[in-house]
Amino acid sequence: MLSRFFDGVPAVEDLSFEIPEGKLFTLLGPNGAGKTTTVRLLLGLIAPDAGTANIAGYKLGQTNNALRSVCGLLTETPGFYDRISAWENLIFFSHLYRIPQTVREQRLEQHLREMNLWERRDSLVGTFSKGMKQKLAIIRAIFHEPQVIFLDEPTAGLDPEASLMVREMIIRLKGEGRTIVVCTHNLDEAQRLADIVGIINGRLLLCDTLANLQSGAGLTTSIEIELGEPLRDHQRTAMNLPFVKSVQGKDRTYVVEVENPSSNIPGLVRVLVDKEVKVYAVRPKARDLEAIYLQCVSGKGVGQ
Amino acid sequence: MNVSLLFLRKELRELRKNKFVLPVYLLLPPIAVILPVVFASLAPTIMAIDQNDPVVLAIHRIITTTPEFAHMGTDEAITRFFLRNLVAFYLLLPVGLSSISAAFSIVAEKQQRTLEPILATPITDFEFLIGKLLASLVPSIILTWAAAILAVVIVNWTTWGRYQTPLLPDRFWAIGVFLLAPIMGTASVLAAMRLSAKMSDPQSANQFTGLVIVPTFMVGIGIFGKVLTISMTAVAIACVVLLLLTLFLLRMNLKNFQREEILTKWK
C-alpha cells in the first residue's frame, strides 16, 4: 500500500496493484490524480511515506540505481539538450544507462531508423518538432532494453501516423515480454493497448483486466433480456433477487442491472424460467472504457 | 567513459551555442592576457606621471620596505609589484567563468526538462553532482591557466630587452594562479550550484550569480588580496581557509543534492 504526501496533502494513498510480467498496464486518471507521482515512486525517484513495492525483482528503496537500470521512462514532456544533435543527446543518455559500447551505435541506428529520424540524427534537437522530440524520447526510454517501461502520454503531440507507429512499437515491446505502464488520458489508446486498466484519483479506484471491466465481471453491469411476452407482476416480483439492482423496460425487452453478471446471470435465467417466462435472449450490454472511466472519476463508482 | 566526465564533454559541446555563458568565456580570458602586458609596459610611466600622488608614494614605500625588491632597479620593482597585484584578477577569473556556468547548468536542466530523464537513469547523486562540478570548473581552470601562461610568455618577451630577466612567474603568481584560483573556482561553483537550485530560469540564475557570488568573491579578494601579494604565510592561510570552505560547500551540496529534493522542491 504505497502512499505519498506533499505538505500533508496526499498525492497518492494506499496504492496497491500487481502487474504480471509482460503485461501492459494503463493508468488512467484526471490531471493531478497522482499518475506521475506513482511513476516517480515506482522508479525510486521519490520515496514513499508508507508502503513499498517490488519492481522487476528489486525492492524499492534498497537498490534504486539497479532498479532504474532495468526501467525505462518516457516523461510527460520530452526534455532534451536543444543545442546538441539528436545523435549526441542519445549517446549522452546511452552512457548514463551504461549501454555497452559494442552495441551502442548499432542499437541507436536501428531505433532512429524505425522512428524515421535517421536522416535527422545530426540536426540540433532545438530544430525538432514536438512529435520528433517525442519519438526521440521514446527511443531514450527503450534503447537500453529495459524490463519495465513507464510511458507517460506516449502519443501526446504526435500526428495520427506517428501515433500508430508508436502504438505498434508498444505492442511489439509487449510481445518481447516487457512489462509496460502507460499513463494516459487517451481512453481510446488505453482500450487498444491495455491488458490491465487502473483508474486513479489519489487512490486507485479500480484495477482489473480490460476484458473483465468491459464484461462487467466483478461489478454491476447491464444486461438486456428479450422475452416472448411482457413480464407479469408476479414474474417481475420474482426478479427481486439480491444481485439484481434494477429492472427497467416494457413490452418484451428489459434492461437489468446485475451484480457479478458472469456468475449471476444463469441464476436469474433459472428464476425466470421457473416462473414460466419465455426467455428468447440474454445479451450483456458491453461497456466502453470511457463509460467506466467517467463513472469512476465522477465519484459514482462503477456500479458498486 | 566516466559518467562525471560525460557531463563535461556534453557541456563543452553546448557551450559554443550558449548565449548566456559564451560571451563571458570569450571576454574575460583575453583581458587576463592583455592586462599584465599593458601593466608591464606602462607601470614605470604611470608611476612617473605624478611623483607626489599618495598612491604612488604608498607604492614606493612598499617597494623600498620589501626585501624582495631591494636589490632591483626602481622600474623593475614597480613592474613586478604591479604584475603581482594582477594575481587578484586571475583569482577572480575562474570564479567569474565557472560560477556563471554552474548557475546556468543546473537551472538549464530544469528548464529543458532534462533533469527527470537524467535522474531516471542509474546515475548516482554523487556522479551527477561531480559531473556538474567538473563541467563548470574544468573549462574555466583551463582558460585561466592558458591565459596566465600566455601572459607570462608575452610579458617576458616584451620586457626582456629592458630587464634581461623574466618577470613572471614569481612564487605569489604561481601559487595564486595554479593553486588558489582552482580552489576559489571550486568554492564558487559549489556556491552557485547550491543557490541556483532555487532559481527557476537561466536569467535569474545568471543575474543572481553575477550580482551576489562574483561580487562576494571580489570583496574578499579586495580585502585580503593585498596581504596575499606580500606574505606567503597569508597565502598559506588563505589556501587552508578556502579549502575548508570548499569542503563545507561540497558537504552541503552532497547533503541536499538528492533526487527527491531536486524533483519535488526545485521548482
Side-chain angles (χ1 to χ4, degrees):
Chain A
M1 292 276 203
L2 276 178
S3 297
R4 172 68 204 212
F5 299 83
F6 291 115
D7 299 324
V9 179
V12 291
E13 210 172 357
D14 299 336
L15 213 59
S16 178
F17 58 87
E18 188 179 343
I19 310 169
E21 198 177 333
K23 295 290 180 189
L24 195 148
F25 177 71
T26 300
L27 197 55
L28 295 168
N31 290 328
K35 299 189 295 291
T36 302
T37 302
T38 303
V39 169
R40 286 177 172 179
L41 282 168
L42 295 177
L43 271 169
L45 295 176
I46 55 175
D49 289 317
T52 188
N54 268 296
I55 300 106
Y58 295 98
K59 191 168 183 186
L60 211 55
Q62 290 181 355
T63 49
N64 283 354
N65 278 331
L67 159 68
R68 283 188 279 269
S69 68
V70 296
C71 292
L73 171 68
L74 171 73
T75 50
E76 195 173 352
T77 312
F80 282 99
Y81 300 108
D82 286 347
R83 296 189 200 90
I84 58 176
S85 70
W87 180 261
E88 287 169 329
N89 265 283
L90 290 178
I91 288 286
F92 173 76
F93 281 97
S94 70
H95 277 284
L96 295 185
Y97 276 109
R98 276 88 167 166
I99 297 177
Q101 178 136 22
T102 47
V103 296
R104 186 181 298 142
E105 296 195 358
Q106 183 192 355
R107 205 182 283 177
L108 289 185
E109 180 180 344
Q110 179 200 331
H111 286 301
L112 283 166
R113 285 191 189 281
E114 277 172 7
M115 290 288 188
N116 293 328
L117 288 174
W118 177 245
E119 304 301 327
R120 296 293 307 274
R121 67 189 180 282
D122 293 325
S123 304
L124 299 183
V125 171
T127 64
F128 278 21
S129 67
K130 192 184 173 192
M132 290 163 80
K133 284 184 182 176
Q134 185 76 349
K135 287 197 234 175
L136 207 58
I138 290 170
I139 295 175
R140 179 175 60 193
I142 62 168
F143 64 4
H144 56 297
E145 301 190 336
Q147 290 176 47
V148 183
I149 306 168
F150 296 92
L151 304 170
D152 204 350
E153 300 288 351
T155 56
L158 297 185
D159 57 49
E161 191 186 352
S163 297
L164 179 66
M165 185 200 299
V166 169
R167 276 198 297 272
E168 285 172 353
M169 192 201 63
I170 293 171
I171 290 165
R172 199 193 70 222
L173 289 167
K174 197 175 82 170
E176 290 171 3
R178 303 184 200 285
T179 308
I180 302 169
V181 176
V182 178
C183 298
T184 184
H185 295 105
N186 188 332
L187 298 171
D188 177 57
E189 185 173 278
Q191 199 149 310
R192 287 172 198 234
L193 296 172
D195 295 312
I196 304 165
V197 174
I199 298 177
I200 187 174
N201 200 358
R203 288 168 179 272
L204 194 62
L205 303 173
L206 180 149
C207 184
D208 207 341
T209 63
L210 186 63
N212 276 351
L213 287 175
Q214 286 178 324
S215 70
L219 304 164
T220 300
T221 193
S222 301
I223 56 168
E224 193 177 72
I225 302 179
E226 195 181 328
L227 305 176
E229 53 192 30
L231 285 172
R232 294 180 202 139
D233 286 346
H234 76 279
Q235 290 169 329
R236 190 183 265 267
T237 307
M239 288 178 76
N240 288 337
L241 299 164
F243 52 85
V244 174
K245 295 299 169 190
S246 68
V247 180
Q248 287 177 330
K250 52 186 180 177
D251 298 334
R252 296 184 296 119
T253 305
Y254 294 82
V255 175
V256 184
E257 291 278 329
V258 184
E259 220 173 54
N260 292 330
S262 53
S263 56
N264 288 328
I265 287 174
L268 175 65
V269 172
R270 197 177 306 119
V271 168
L272 291 173
V273 171
D274 286 348
K275 295 292 175 187
E276 295 178 336
V277 177
K278 291 176 183 165
V279 180
Y280 282 6
V282 177
R283 287 184 288 269
K285 290 190 76 166
R287 303 174 325 155
D288 64 8
L289 197 51
E290 187 177 11
I292 299 167
Y293 173 82
L294 291 173
Q295 218 175 335
C296 239
V297 297
S298 67
K300 291 175 185 167
V302 190
Q304 291 173 317
Chain B
M1 178 186 278
N2 180 291
V3 167
S4 296
L5 290 177
L6 190 65
F7 282 91
L8 173 62
R9 192 174 74 169
K10 191 268 296 173
E11 218 91 0
L12 286 176
R13 285 187 180 172
E14 276 199 301
L15 181 64
R16 57 202 153 124
K17 292 160 198 137
N18 189 328
K19 64 178 178 177
F20 292 107
V21 179
L22 190 60
V24 185
Y25 273 75
L26 291 178
L27 186 70
L28 291 181
I31 294 175
V33 176
I34 292 166
L35 266 184
V37 177
V38 171
F39 272 79
S41 305
L42 300 180
T45 314
I46 294 168
M47 290 289 284
I49 290 172
D50 185 358
Q51 296 282 350
N52 296 319
D53 184 278
V55 178
V56 172
L57 290 172
I59 292 172
H60 272 297
R61 204 164 37 247
I62 293 170
I63 289 167
T64 48
T65 54
T66 307
E68 214 179 325
F69 297 131
H71 65 284
M72 297 173 191
T74 311
D75 278 5
E76 184 184 338
I78 287 169
T79 308
R80 283 184 183 274
F81 173 81
F82 269 82
L83 289 174
R84 186 176 289 180
N85 276 275
L86 279 179
V87 170
F89 190 82
Y90 284 88
L91 296 181
L92 265 181
L93 193 57
V95 173
L97 294 177
S98 59
S99 58
I100 286 174
S101 168
F104 181 81
S105 76
I106 296 282
V107 81
E109 298 283 4
K110 283 192 266 185
Q111 202 190 40
Q112 292 178 126
R113 311 259 179 193
T114 42
L115 254 184
E116 191 162 1
I118 288 175
L119 299 177
T121 70
I123 189 174
T124 63
D125 295 344
F126 182 75
E127 284 173 328
F128 187 32
L129 177 69
I130 298 300
K132 282 287 165 193
L133 176 69
L134 290 179
S136 299
L137 193 61
V138 171
S140 69
I141 298 298
I142 288 173
L143 281 175
T144 302
W145 287 351
I149 290 167
L150 199 57
V152 166
V153 171
I154 298 174
V155 164
N156 288 335
W157 181 60
T158 54
T159 58
W160 185 264
R162 266 185 285 162
Y163 306 118
Q164 305 295 312
T165 180
L167 299 184
L168 291 175
D170 71 6
R171 56 197 171 125
F172 288 93
W173 177 283
I175 291 173
V177 169
F178 292 101
L179 186 63
L180 261 180
I183 298 174
M184 285 189 83
T186 311
S188 66
V189 169
L190 290 167
M193 283 170 73
R194 186 72 200 110
L195 293 170
S196 84
K198 307 291 178 194
M199 302 290 150
S200 56
D201 63 276
Q203 287 88 346
S204 321
N206 226 346
Q207 284 164 6
F208 193 80
T209 308
L211 294 173
V212 178
I213 294 177
V214 176
T216 304
F217 278 87
M218 280 176 83
V219 169
I221 290 169
I223 293 170
F224 301 109
K226 193 64 73 187
V227 187
L228 296 180
T229 61
I230 49 177
S231 162
M232 284 309 286
T233 313
V235 172
I237 292 170
C239 282
V240 172
V241 170
L242 276 169
L243 261 177
L244 289 174
L245 173 69
T246 305
L247 289 174
F248 170 74
L249 287 168
L250 182 63
R251 192 183 152 89
M252 284 277 291
N253 272 277
L254 281 173
K255 191 179 164 192
N256 294 299
F257 207 82
Q258 293 166 358
R259 281 174 164 78
E260 169 110 22
E261 169 104 357
I262 294 165
L263 276 176
T264 59
K265 294 184 182 162
W266 291 15
K267 300 292 184 192

